[in-house]
Amino acid sequence: MNKFLSRYFLSLQSLSFHALMTMMFISVIFSSCDEVKDAPLLFEATSNTNPEYIHLNYQPDELGITIFPKESRYSIYSYTYIDGDLELTCTNCDNLEYSTDFSFSIIKDNVGEAISATGEEVGVSVKNTDHKTLRIHFATLSDEQLPLGFLGARATIKVYGRVGGKDVTTSISIYRSNQRFSND
C-alpha cells in the first residue's frame, strides 16, 4: 500500500509539474499576443487641404491571435470625386523613398474583382517633397473616368527609410470610394 501511495504522489507531482509548465508556456504565448508593434516609420499629417474628405488613420492591428507581434498600419480614406493634398512627414527618419501600386475594385457579373490601374486612373499621385515628407495628391474623378461596376480604388505606398541604422519599410493603404467617410 505504501508503494502504491508513493507512486500515486509521484505521478501527481509529475502531472502538476507538467500542468504548471504548460500553463507558463501558454501565458508566455498569450502575453506576446498583446504586444502591438508600431509601424517602423512613424508619420504625422502636417498638411491636409481637404480634411472633410481626406482622412488619415493610424491603427494598431489588435485583431486576431498570433504568437508574432502585430504590426500597426496607416490608412488614408478619400471621397472619390473630391480633390486635395495630404502631406505626411516622417517623425523618426531622415531620408524616404517610396514605390506605389494601384488597382480598382469592381463588380463584374456579380463577382468582386480587383483590376490593375495607373495612378492617373485612380487619381492618386505621390511626391517626395523634402526627403522626410510625402505629398499625396487626390485628383477629382468623374463617373465617366471610372470603370463599369466601380466600387472603389486602392493604392498602396511602400515607404522605405532608415531608423536607428536599420533599413525599414512601412505600407500606407489608400482607399477611395464613392461613399463618404463618416466619423460616427
Side-chain angles (χ1 to χ4, degrees), residues 126-137:
V126 182
K127 181 180 177 185
N128 192 335
T129 61
D130 65 5
H131 302 292
K132 261 186 107 152
T133 303
L134 296 177
R135 178 178 295 136
I136 303 164
H137 175 72

Side-chain angles (χ1 to χ4, degrees), residues 13-27:
Q13 286 176 337
S14 177
L15 182 63
S16 296
F17 175 75
H18 289 293
L20 179 64
M21 293 303 287
T22 302
M23 294 202 38
M24 286 176 49
F25 179 72
I26 289 172
S27 67

